[in-house]
Amino acid sequence: MVHYDGLYYALGSRLTGWGANPNQYATATKLEGPWSEFKDVAPPNTNTYGSQSTMMVKVVGSKTTTVIFMGDIWKPKTQWDSRYLWMPLEIGGGKLWLPEPHEWTLDVATGESVIKHS
């Protein structure tokens, strides 16, 4: 969960064990609700780009605030080779979106993130 611009955003995955699934989010102005309906954070057919949400981290800089999606990419048969997906989210106005993963950078002083498209 993260608080951003007056709204709480709760993000979660479905109960599919090790398997990735379409993660969804809901919003509320107060923790006790009422909460919105859950909506997809990424195209459902991508199964959240093969990951499951772990948490969101808010980086407040001198120029802007970036919220980072942190997800686990589990490999149950080769757990030692499991990975992570960290990617800046598009957030605001009640919307939360995880763009397609690309290389990116973050300036922790300013809070600015830049996605490098190939």
Side-chain angles (χ1 to χ4, degrees), residues 7-95:
L7 278 178
Y8 289 96
Y9 292 79
L11 177 63
S13 67
R14 298 178 187 194
L15 302 174
T16 56
W18 298 97
N21 55 61
N23 290 198
Q24 296 187 321
Y25 74 96
T27 60
T29 55
K30 299 180 289 187
L31 285 175
E32 62 269 20
W35 285 86
S36 70
E37 295 292 321
F38 277 90
K39 301 172 191 150
D40 292 318
V41 71
N45 63 329
T46 68
N47 284 330
T48 319
Y49 306 109
S51 72
Q52 293 185 61
S53 62
T54 299
M55 66 178 165
M56 294 179 281
V57 172
K58 184 164 70 169
V59 178
V60 180
S62 60
K63 292 186 179 179
T64 192
T65 298
T66 293
V67 177
I68 302 167
F69 170 90
M70 297 177 146
D72 297 312
I73 301 174
W74 296 111
K75 295 183 178 180
K77 294 181 181 175
T78 54
Q79 289 182 15
W80 60 89
D81 193 31
S82 294
R83 308 293 171 117
Y84 301 98
L85 172 60
W86 291 12
M87 193 69 194
L89 288 159
E90 297 171 9
I91 187 172
K95 295 182 181 174

Coordinates of all heavy atoms in Angstrom, one line a residue, residues 7-95:
L7 N -4.6 9.9 -1.9 CA -5.3 8.6 -2.0 C -4.4 7.5 -1.5 O -3.2 7.5 -1.7 CB -5.6 8.3 -3.5 CG -6.9 8.9 -4.1 CD1 -7.0 8.5 -5.6 CD2 -8.1 8.5 -3.4
Y8 N -5.0 6.4 -1.0 CA -4.3 5.2 -0.7 C -4.5 4.3 -1.8 O -5.6 4.1 -2.4 CB -4.9 4.5 0.6 CG -4.6 5.3 1.8 CD1 -5.5 6.2 2.4 CD2 -3.4 5.1 2.5 CE1 -5.2 6.9 3.5 CE2 -3.1 5.8 3.7 CZ -4.0 6.7 4.2 OH -3.7 7.4 5.3
Y9 N -3.4 3.6 -2.2 CA -3.5 2.7 -3.3 C -3.0 1.3 -2.7 O -1.9 1.2 -2.2 CB -2.5 3.0 -4.4 CG -2.8 4.3 -5.2 CD1 -2.6 5.5 -4.7 CD2 -3.4 4.2 -6.5 CE1 -2.9 6.7 -5.4 CE2 -3.7 5.3 -7.2 CZ -3.5 6.5 -6.7 OH -3.8 7.7 -7.4
A10 N -3.9 0.3 -2.8 CA -3.6 -1.0 -2.3 C -3.4 -1.9 -3.5 O -4.2 -1.9 -4.4 CB -4.7 -1.6 -1.4
L11 N -2.3 -2.7 -3.5 CA -2.0 -3.5 -4.7 C -1.8 -4.9 -4.2 O -1.2 -5.2 -3.1 CB -0.6 -3.0 -5.3 CG 0.0 -3.8 -6.4 CD1 -0.9 -3.7 -7.6 CD2 1.3 -3.1 -6.8
G12 N -2.3 -5.9 -4.9 CA -2.2 -7.3 -4.5 C -2.3 -8.2 -5.7 O -2.7 -7.9 -6.8
S13 N -1.9 -9.5 -5.4 CA -2.0 -10.5 -6.4 C -3.0 -11.5 -5.9 O -3.4 -11.6 -4.7 CB -0.7 -11.2 -6.7 OG -0.2 -11.9 -5.5
R14 N -3.5 -12.4 -6.8 CA -4.4 -13.4 -6.4 C -3.7 -14.6 -5.8 O -2.4 -14.7 -5.8 CB -5.2 -13.9 -7.6 CG -5.9 -12.7 -8.2 CD -6.7 -13.1 -9.5 NE -7.2 -11.9 -10.0 CZ -8.1 -11.9 -10.9 NH1 -8.6 -13.0 -11.4 NH2 -8.6 -10.7 -11.4
L15 N -4.4 -15.5 -5.2 CA -3.8 -16.6 -4.4 C -3.5 -17.7 -5.4 O -4.2 -18.7 -5.4 CB -4.7 -17.0 -3.3 CG -5.0 -15.9 -2.3 CD1 -6.1 -16.4 -1.3 CD2 -3.8 -15.4 -1.6
T16 N -2.4 -17.6 -6.1 CA -2.0 -18.7 -7.1 C -0.7 -19.3 -6.7 O 0.0 -19.8 -7.6 CB -2.0 -18.2 -8.5 OG1 -1.1 -17.0 -8.6 CG2 -3.4 -17.8 -9.0
G17 N -0.3 -19.2 -5.5 CA 1.0 -19.8 -5.1 C 2.1 -19.2 -5.8 O 2.3 -18.0 -5.7
W18 N 3.0 -20.0 -6.4 CA 4.1 -19.5 -7.1 C 3.8 -18.9 -8.4 O 4.7 -18.2 -9.0 CB 5.1 -20.7 -7.3 CG 5.6 -21.3 -6.1 CD1 5.1 -22.5 -5.5 CD2 6.7 -20.9 -5.3 NE1 5.9 -22.8 -4.4 CE2 6.8 -21.8 -4.2 CE3 7.6 -19.8 -5.3 CZ2 7.8 -21.7 -3.2 CZ3 8.5 -19.7 -4.3 CH2 8.6 -20.6 -3.3
G19 N 2.6 -19.1 -9.0 CA 2.3 -18.7 -10.3 C 2.0 -17.2 -10.4 O 1.2 -16.7 -9.6
A20 N 2.6 -16.5 -11.4 CA 2.2 -15.1 -11.6 C 0.8 -15.0 -12.0 O 0.2 -15.9 -12.6 CB 3.1 -14.5 -12.6
N21 N 0.2 -13.9 -11.8 CA -1.2 -13.6 -12.2 C -1.4 -12.1 -12.4 O -0.6 -11.3 -12.1 CB -2.2 -14.2 -11.1 CG -1.9 -13.6 -9.7 OD1 -2.0 -12.4 -9.5 ND2 -1.5 -14.4 -8.8
P22 N -2.6 -11.7 -12.9 CA -2.9 -10.3 -13.1 C -3.1 -9.6 -11.7 O -4.1 -9.8 -11.1 CB -4.2 -10.3 -13.9 CG -4.3 -11.6 -14.5 CD -3.7 -12.6 -13.5
N23 N -2.1 -8.8 -11.3 CA -2.2 -8.1 -10.1 C -3.2 -6.9 -10.3 O -3.4 -6.4 -11.4 CB -0.9 -7.5 -9.7 CG 0.1 -8.5 -9.2 OD1 1.1 -8.2 -8.6 ND2 -0.1 -9.8 -9.5
Q24 N -3.9 -6.5 -9.2 CA -4.9 -5.5 -9.2 C -4.7 -4.5 -8.1 O -4.0 -4.8 -7.1 CB -6.3 -6.1 -9.2 CG -6.6 -7.0 -10.4 CD -8.0 -7.5 -10.4 OE1 -8.6 -7.8 -9.4 NE2 -8.6 -7.5 -11.6
Y25 N -5.3 -3.3 -8.2 CA -5.3 -2.3 -7.2 C -6.6 -1.7 -6.9 O -7.5 -1.8 -7.8 CB -4.3 -1.2 -7.6 CG -4.8 -0.3 -8.7 CD1 -5.4 0.9 -8.3 CD2 -4.8 -0.6 -10.0 CE1 -6.0 1.8 -9.3 CE2 -5.3 0.2 -11.0 CZ -5.9 1.4 -10.6 OH -6.4 2.2 -11.6
A26 N -6.8 -1.1 -5.7 CA -8.0 -0.4 -5.4 C -7.5 0.9 -4.7 O -6.4 1.0 -4.2 CB -8.8 -1.2 -4.4
T27 N -8.4 1.9 -4.6 CA -8.1 3.1 -4.0 C -9.1 3.5 -3.0 O -10.3 3.1 -3.0 CB -8.0 4.3 -5.0 OG1 -9.2 4.4 -5.7 CG2 -6.9 4.0 -6.1
A28 N -8.7 4.4 -2.0 CA -9.6 4.9 -1.0 C -9.0 6.2 -0.5 O -7.7 6.4 -0.4 CB -9.8 4.0 0.1
T29 N -9.8 7.1 0.0 CA -9.3 8.4 0.6 C -9.0 8.2 2.0 O -8.2 8.9 2.6 CB -10.3 9.5 0.5 OG1 -11.6 9.1 1.0 CG2 -10.5 9.9 -1.0
K30 N -9.6 7.1 2.7 CA -9.3 6.8 4.1 C -9.0 5.3 4.1 O -9.6 4.5 3.4 CB -10.5 7.1 5.0 CG -10.9 8.6 5.0 CD -12.1 8.8 5.9 CE -13.3 8.3 5.2 NZ -14.5 8.5 5.8
L31 N -8.2 4.9 5.1 CA -7.8 3.4 5.2 C -9.1 2.6 5.4 O -9.2 1.5 5.0 CB -6.8 3.2 6.3 CG -5.4 3.6 5.9 CD1 -4.5 3.5 7.2 CD2 -4.9 2.8 4.8
E32 N -10.0 3.1 6.2 CA -11.2 2.3 6.5 C -12.2 2.3 5.4 O -13.3 1.7 5.5 CB -11.9 2.9 7.8 CG -12.4 4.3 7.8 CD -11.3 5.3 8.2 OE1 -10.1 5.0 8.2 OE2 -11.7 6.4 8.5
G33 N -11.9 3.0 4.3 CA -12.7 2.9 3.1 C -13.7 4.1 3.1 O -13.7 5.0 3.9
P34 N -14.6 4.0 2.1 CA -14.9 2.9 1.2 C -13.7 2.8 0.1 O -13.1 3.8 -0.3 CB -16.2 3.2 0.5 CG -16.3 4.7 0.6 CD -15.5 5.1 1.8
W35 N -13.5 1.5 -0.4 CA -12.5 1.2 -1.4 C -13.2 1.1 -2.7 O -14.3 0.6 -2.8 CB -11.8 0.0 -1.0 CG -10.8 0.2 0.1 CD1 -11.1 0.1 1.4 CD2 -9.4 0.6 0.0 NE1 -9.9 0.4 2.2 CE2 -8.9 0.7 1.3 CE3 -8.6 0.8 -1.1 CZ2 -7.6 1.1 1.6 CZ3 -7.3 1.2 -0.8 CH2 -6.8 1.3 0.5
S36 N -12.4 1.5 -3.7 CA -12.9 1.3 -5.1 C -12.9 -0.2 -5.5 O -12.4 -1.0 -4.8 CB -12.0 2.1 -6.1 OG -10.8 1.4 -6.2
E37 N -13.5 -0.5 -6.6 CA -13.4 -1.8 -7.2 C -12.0 -2.0 -7.6 O -11.2 -1.1 -7.9 CB -14.3 -1.9 -8.4 CG -15.8 -1.8 -8.2 CD -16.3 -3.0 -7.4 OE1 -15.9 -4.1 -7.6 OE2 -17.2 -2.8 -6.5
F38 N -11.5 -3.3 -7.6 CA -10.2 -3.6 -8.0 C -10.1 -3.5 -9.5 O -11.0 -3.9 -10.3 CB -9.8 -5.0 -7.5 CG -9.3 -5.0 -6.1 CD1 -10.2 -5.2 -5.1 CD2 -7.9 -4.8 -5.8 CE1 -9.7 -5.2 -3.8 CE2 -7.5 -4.8 -4.5 CZ -8.4 -5.0 -3.5
K39 N -8.9 -3.0 -10.0 CA -8.6 -2.8 -11.4 C -7.3 -3.4 -11.7 O -6.4 -3.4 -10.9 CB -8.7 -1.3 -11.8 CG -10.0 -0.7 -11.5 CD -9.9 0.8 -11.7 CE -11.1 1.5 -11.1 NZ -10.9 2.8 -10.6
D40 N -7.1 -3.7 -13.0 CA -5.8 -4.3 -13.4 C -4.7 -3.2 -13.4 O -4.9 -2.1 -13.7 CB -5.8 -4.9 -14.8 CG -6.7 -6.1 -14.9 OD1 -6.6 -6.9 -14.0 OD2 -7.5 -6.2 -15.8
V41 N -3.5 -3.6 -12.9 CA -2.3 -2.7 -12.9 C -1.5 -2.9 -14.2 O -0.6 -2.0 -14.5 CB -1.5 -2.9 -11.6 CG1 -0.8 -4.2 -11.7 CG2 -0.6 -1.8 -11.4
A42 N -1.7 -3.9 -14.9 CA -1.0 -4.2 -16.2 C -1.9 -5.0 -17.1 O -3.0 -5.5 -16.6 CB 0.3 -5.0 -15.9
P43 N -1.6 -5.1 -18.3 CA -2.5 -5.9 -19.2 C -2.7 -7.3 -18.6 O -1.6 -8.0 -18.3 CB -1.8 -5.9 -20.5 CG -0.9 -4.7 -20.5 CD -0.5 -4.5 -19.1
P44 N -3.9 -7.8 -18.4 CA -4.1 -9.1 -17.8 C -3.4 -10.3 -18.4 O -2.9 -11.2 -17.7 CB -5.6 -9.3 -17.9 CG -6.2 -8.0 -18.0 CD -5.2 -7.2 -18.8
N45 N -3.2 -10.2 -19.8 CA -2.6 -11.4 -20.5 C -1.1 -11.4 -20.2 O -0.4 -12.4 -20.5 CB -2.8 -11.3 -22.0 CG -2.2 -10.1 -22.6 OD1 -2.1 -9.0 -22.0 ND2 -1.9 -10.2 -23.8
T46 N -0.5 -10.4 -19.6 CA 1.0 -10.4 -19.2 C 1.2 -11.1 -17.9 O 2.4 -11.3 -17.5 CB 1.6 -9.0 -19.2 OG1 1.0 -8.3 -18.1 CG2 1.3 -8.3 -20.5
N47 N 0.2 -11.3 -17.1 CA 0.3 -11.8 -15.7 C 1.3 -10.9 -14.9 O 2.2 -11.4 -14.3 CB 0.8 -13.3 -15.7 CG -0.4 -14.2 -16.0 OD1 -1.5 -13.9 -15.7 ND2 -0.1 -15.3 -16.6
T48 N 1.1 -9.6 -15.1 CA 1.9 -8.6 -14.4 C 3.4 -8.8 -14.8 O 4.3 -8.8 -14.0 CB 1.7 -8.6 -12.9 OG1 0.3 -8.7 -12.6 CG2 2.2 -7.3 -12.3
Y49 N 3.6 -9.1 -16.1 CA 4.9 -9.3 -16.6 C 5.7 -10.4 -15.9 O 6.9 -10.4 -15.7 CB 5.7 -8.0 -16.7 CG 5.0 -6.9 -17.4 CD1 4.5 -5.8 -16.7 CD2 4.8 -7.0 -18.8 CE1 3.8 -4.8 -17.3 CE2 4.1 -6.0 -19.4 CZ 3.6 -4.9 -18.7 OH 2.8 -3.9 -19.3
G50 N 4.9 -11.4 -15.5 CA 5.5 -12.6 -14.9 C 5.8 -12.5 -13.4 O 6.6 -13.3 -12.9
S51 N 5.3 -11.4 -12.8 CA 5.6 -11.2 -11.4 C 4.4 -11.1 -10.5 O 3.3 -11.1 -11.0 CB 6.4 -9.8 -11.3 OG 5.5 -8.8 -11.5
Q52 N 4.7 -11.1 -9.2 CA 3.7 -10.9 -8.2 C 4.1 -9.8 -7.3 O 5.3 -9.7 -6.9 CB 3.5 -12.1 -7.3 CG 2.9 -13.3 -8.1 CD 2.6 -14.5 -7.2 OE1 1.8 -14.3 -6.3 NE2 3.3 -15.6 -7.4
S53 N 3.2 -8.8 -7.0 CA 3.6 -7.7 -6.2 C 4.1 -8.1 -4.8 O 3.6 -9.0 -4.2 CB 2.4 -6.7 -6.1 OG 1.3 -7.4 -5.4
T54 N 5.1 -7.4 -4.4 CA 5.7 -7.5 -3.1 C 5.4 -6.3 -2.3 O 4.8 -6.3 -1.2 CB 7.2 -7.7 -3.1 OG1 7.5 -8.9 -3.9 CG2 7.8 -7.8 -1.8
M55 N 5.7 -5.1 -2.9 CA 5.4 -3.8 -2.2 C 5.6 -2.7 -3.2 O 6.1 -2.9 -4.3 CB 6.3 -3.6 -1.0 CG 7.7 -3.5 -1.3 SD 8.6 -3.2 0.3 CE 10.2 -3.5 -0.2
M56 N 5.2 -1.5 -2.8 CA 5.5 -0.3 -3.5 C 6.4 0.6 -2.6 O 6.1 0.6 -1.4 CB 4.2 0.4 -3.9 CG 3.4 -0.3 -4.9 SD 1.8 0.5 -5.3 CE 0.8 0.2 -3.8
V57 N 7.3 1.2 -3.2 CA 8.2 2.2 -2.5 C 8.1 3.5 -3.1 O 8.2 3.7 -4.3 CB 9.7 1.7 -2.6 CG1 10.6 2.7 -1.9 CG2 9.9 0.4 -1.9
K58 N 7.8 4.5 -2.2 CA 7.6 5.9 -2.6 C 9.0 6.6 -2.4 O 9.5 6.7 -1.3 CB 6.5 6.6 -1.9 CG 6.2 8.0 -2.3 CD 4.8 8.5 -1.8 CE 4.8 8.7 -0.4 NZ 3.6 9.4 0.1
V59 N 9.5 7.2 -3.4 CA 10.7 8.0 -3.4 C 10.3 9.5 -3.6 O 9.9 9.9 -4.6 CB 11.7 7.6 -4.4 CG1 13.0 8.4 -4.4 CG2 12.1 6.1 -4.3
V60 N 10.4 10.3 -2.5 CA 10.1 11.7 -2.5 C 11.3 12.5 -2.7 O 12.2 12.5 -1.8 CB 9.3 12.1 -1.2 CG1 9.0 13.6 -1.2 CG2 8.1 11.2 -0.9
G61 N 11.4 13.1 -3.8 CA 12.6 13.9 -4.2 C 12.3 15.4 -4.1 O 11.2 15.9 -3.8
S62 N 13.3 16.2 -4.5 CA 13.2 17.7 -4.5 C 12.3 18.2 -5.6 O 11.8 19.3 -5.5 CB 14.6 18.3 -4.5 OG 15.2 17.9 -5.7
K63 N 12.2 17.4 -6.7 CA 11.4 17.8 -7.9 C 10.1 17.0 -8.0 O 9.1 17.6 -8.5 CB 12.2 17.7 -9.1 CG 13.4 18.6 -9.2 CD 14.0 18.5 -10.6 CE 15.2 19.5 -10.7 NZ 15.9 19.4 -12.0
T64 N 10.1 15.8 -7.7 CA 8.9 14.9 -7.9 C 8.9 13.7 -7.0 O 9.9 13.5 -6.3 CB 8.8 14.5 -9.4 OG1 7.5 13.9 -9.7 CG2 9.9 13.5 -9.8
T65 N 7.9 13.0 -7.1 CA 7.8 11.7 -6.3 C 7.6 10.6 -7.3 O 6.7 10.6 -8.2 CB 6.6 11.8 -5.3 OG1 6.9 12.8 -4.4 CG2 6.4 10.5 -4.6
T66 N 8.4 9.5 -7.1 CA 8.3 8.3 -8.0 C 7.9 7.2 -7.1 O 8.4 7.0 -6.0 CB 9.6 8.0 -8.6 OG1 9.9 9.0 -9.6 CG2 9.6 6.6 -9.4
V67 N 6.9 6.4 -7.5 CA 6.5 5.2 -6.8 C 6.9 4.0 -7.6 O 6.7 3.9 -8.8 CB 4.9 5.1 -6.6 CG1 4.5 3.8 -5.9 CG2 4.5 6.4 -5.8
I68 N 7.7 3.1 -6.9 CA 8.3 1.9 -7.6 C 7.5 0.7 -7.2 O 7.3 0.4 -6.1 CB 9.8 1.8 -7.2 CG1 10.5 3.1 -7.5 CG2 10.4 0.6 -7.8 CD1 11.9 3.1 -6.8
F69 N 7.1 -0.1 -8.3 CA 6.6 -1.4 -8.1 C 7.7 -2.4 -7.9 O 8.7 -2.4 -8.6 CB 5.8 -1.8 -9.4 CG 5.4 -3.2 -9.4 CD1 4.1 -3.6 -9.0 CD2 6.2 -4.2 -10.0 CE1 3.7 -4.9 -9.0 CE2 5.8 -5.5 -10.0 CZ 4.5 -5.9 -9.5
M70 N 7.6 -3.2 -6.8 CA 8.5 -4.3 -6.6 C 7.8 -5.6 -6.6 O 6.9 -5.8 -5.8 CB 9.2 -4.0 -5.2 CG 10.0 -2.7 -5.2 SD 10.7 -2.4 -3.6 CE 12.2 -1.6 -4.1
G71 N 8.2 -6.5 -7.5 CA 7.5 -7.7 -7.6 C 8.5 -8.9 -7.7 O 9.6 -8.7 -8.1
D72 N 8.0 -10.0 -7.2 CA 8.8 -11.3 -7.2 C 8.5 -12.0 -8.5 O 7.4 -12.1 -8.9 CB 8.4 -12.2 -6.1 CG 8.7 -11.6 -4.7 OD1 9.8 -11.1 -4.5 OD2 7.8 -11.6 -3.8
I73 N 9.5 -12.5 -9.1 CA 9.4 -13.4 -10.3 C 9.9 -14.8 -9.8 O 11.1 -15.1 -9.8 CB 10.2 -12.9 -11.5 CG1 9.7 -11.5 -11.9 CG2 10.1 -13.9 -12.7 CD1 10.5 -10.9 -13.0
W74 N 9.0 -15.6 -9.4 CA 9.3 -16.9 -8.8 C 9.6 -18.0 -9.8 O 8.9 -18.1 -10.8 CB 8.2 -17.4 -7.9 CG 7.9 -16.5 -6.7 CD1 6.9 -15.7 -6.5 CD2 8.8 -16.4 -5.6 NE1 7.0 -15.1 -5.3 CE2 8.2 -15.5 -4.7 CE3 10.0 -16.9 -5.2 CZ2 8.7 -15.1 -3.5 CZ3 10.6 -16.5 -4.0 CH2 9.9 -15.6 -3.1
K75 N 10.6 -18.8 -9.6 CA 10.8 -20.0 -10.4 C 10.8 -21.2 -9.5 O 11.9 -21.5 -8.9 CB 12.2 -19.8 -11.1 CG 12.2 -18.7 -12.1 CD 13.5 -18.6 -12.9 CE 13.4 -17.5 -13.9 NZ 14.7 -17.4 -14.6
P76 N 9.7 -21.8 -9.3 CA 9.6 -22.8 -8.2 C 10.5 -24.0 -8.4 O 11.0 -24.5 -7.4 CB 8.1 -23.3 -8.3 CG 7.5 -22.5 -9.4 CD 8.4 -21.5 -9.9
K77 N 10.8 -24.4 -9.6 CA 11.7 -25.5 -9.9 C 13.2 -25.1 -9.7 O 14.1 -26.0 -9.6 CB 11.4 -26.2 -11.2 CG 10.1 -26.8 -11.3 CD 9.8 -27.4 -12.6 CE 8.4 -28.0 -12.5 NZ 8.0 -28.6 -13.8
T78 N 13.5 -23.9 -9.9 CA 14.9 -23.4 -9.7 C 14.8 -22.1 -8.8 O 15.1 -21.0 -9.3 CB 15.5 -23.1 -11.1 OG1 14.7 -22.2 -11.8 CG2 15.7 -24.3 -11.9
Q79 N 14.4 -22.2 -7.6 CA 14.2 -21.1 -6.7 C 15.4 -20.2 -6.6 O 15.3 -19.0 -6.5 CB 13.7 -21.5 -5.4 CG 12.3 -22.1 -5.3 CD 11.9 -22.4 -4.0 OE1 12.5 -22.1 -3.0 NE2 10.8 -23.2 -3.9
W80 N 16.6 -20.8 -6.7 CA 17.8 -20.0 -6.6 C 18.0 -19.0 -7.7 O 18.8 -18.1 -7.7 CB 19.1 -20.9 -6.5 CG 19.2 -21.8 -7.8 CD1 19.8 -21.5 -8.9 CD2 18.6 -23.1 -8.0 NE1 19.7 -22.5 -9.8 CE2 18.9 -23.5 -9.3 CE3 17.9 -23.9 -7.2 CZ2 18.6 -24.7 -9.8 CZ3 17.5 -25.1 -7.7 CH2 17.8 -25.5 -9.0
D81 N 17.2 -19.2 -8.8 CA 17.3 -18.3 -10.0 C 16.1 -17.4 -10.1 O 15.8 -16.8 -11.1 CB 17.4 -19.2 -11.2 CG 17.8 -18.4 -12.5 OD1 18.5 -17.4 -12.3 OD2 17.3 -18.7 -13.6
S82 N 15.3 -17.3 -9.0 CA 14.2 -16.4 -9.0 C 14.7 -14.9 -9.0 O 15.8 -14.7 -8.6 CB 13.3 -16.6 -7.7 OG 12.7 -17.9 -7.7
R83 N 13.9 -14.1 -9.6 CA 14.3 -12.7 -9.9 C 13.3 -11.7 -9.3 O 12.3 -12.1 -8.7 CB 14.4 -12.4 -11.4 CG 15.3 -13.4 -12.1 CD 16.7 -13.3 -11.7 NE 17.5 -14.4 -12.3 CZ 18.5 -14.2 -13.2 NH1 18.8 -13.0 -13.6 NH2 19.1 -15.3 -13.6
Y84 N 13.5 -10.4 -9.6 CA 12.7 -9.4 -9.1 C 12.4 -8.4 -10.3 O 13.2 -8.3 -11.2 CB 13.3 -8.5 -8.0 CG 13.6 -9.3 -6.8 CD1 14.9 -9.8 -6.6 CD2 12.7 -9.7 -5.9 CE1 15.2 -10.6 -5.5 CE2 13.0 -10.4 -4.8 CZ 14.2 -10.9 -4.6 OH 14.5 -11.7 -3.5
L85 N 11.2 -7.8 -10.2 CA 10.9 -6.8 -11.2 C 10.6 -5.5 -10.4 O 9.8 -5.4 -9.6 CB 9.6 -7.1 -12.0 CG 9.0 -6.0 -12.9 CD1 10.0 -5.6 -13.9 CD2 7.7 -6.5 -13.5
W86 N 11.5 -4.5 -10.6 CA 11.3 -3.2 -10.1 C 11.1 -2.2 -11.2 O 11.9 -2.2 -12.2 CB 12.6 -2.8 -9.3 CG 12.8 -3.5 -8.0 CD1 12.3 -4.7 -7.6 CD2 13.8 -3.2 -7.0 NE1 12.8 -5.1 -6.4 CE2 13.7 -4.2 -6.0 CE3 14.7 -2.2 -6.9 CZ2 14.5 -4.1 -4.9 CZ3 15.5 -2.1 -5.7 CH2 15.4 -3.1 -4.8
M87 N 10.1 -1.5 -11.2 CA 9.7 -0.6 -12.3 C 8.9 0.6 -11.7 O 8.0 0.4 -10.9 CB 8.9 -1.4 -13.3 CG 8.7 -0.8 -14.6 SD 10.2 -0.7 -15.6 CE 9.7 0.4 -16.8
P88 N 9.2 1.8 -12.2 CA 8.4 3.0 -11.8 C 7.0 2.8 -12.3 O 6.7 2.4 -13.4 CB 9.1 4.2 -12.4 CG 10.0 3.7 -13.4 CD 10.3 2.2 -13.1
L89 N 6.0 3.2 -11.4 CA 4.6 3.1 -11.8 C 4.1 4.4 -12.3 O 4.6 5.5 -11.9 CB 3.8 2.8 -10.5 CG 3.9 1.4 -10.0 CD1 3.4 1.3 -8.6 CD2 3.0 0.4 -10.9
E90 N 3.1 4.4 -13.2 CA 2.4 5.6 -13.5 C 1.2 5.7 -12.5 O 0.4 4.8 -12.4 CB 1.8 5.5 -15.0 CG 3.0 5.4 -16.0 CD 2.4 5.0 -17.4 OE1 1.2 5.0 -17.6 OE2 3.3 4.7 -18.3
I91 N 1.2 6.8 -11.8 CA 0.3 6.9 -10.7 C -0.3 8.3 -10.6 O 0.4 9.3 -10.9 CB 0.9 6.5 -9.3 CG1 -0.1 6.4 -8.2 CG2 2.1 7.4 -9.0 CD1 0.5 5.9 -6.9
G92 N -1.6 8.4 -10.2 CA -2.2 9.7 -10.0 C -3.7 9.7 -10.4 O -4.1 8.9 -11.3
G93 N -4.4 10.5 -9.7 CA -5.8 10.6 -10.1 C -6.6 9.4 -10.0 O -7.6 9.2 -10.7
G94 N -6.2 8.5 -9.1 CA -6.9 7.2 -8.9 C -6.5 6.1 -9.8 O -7.1 5.0 -9.8
K95 N -5.5 6.4 -10.7 CA -5.0 5.4 -11.6 C -3.6 4.9 -11.2 O -2.8 5.7 -10.8 CB -5.0 5.9 -13.0 CG -6.5 6.2 -13.5 CD -6.5 6.7 -14.9 CE -7.9 7.0 -15.3 NZ -8.0 7.7 -16.6

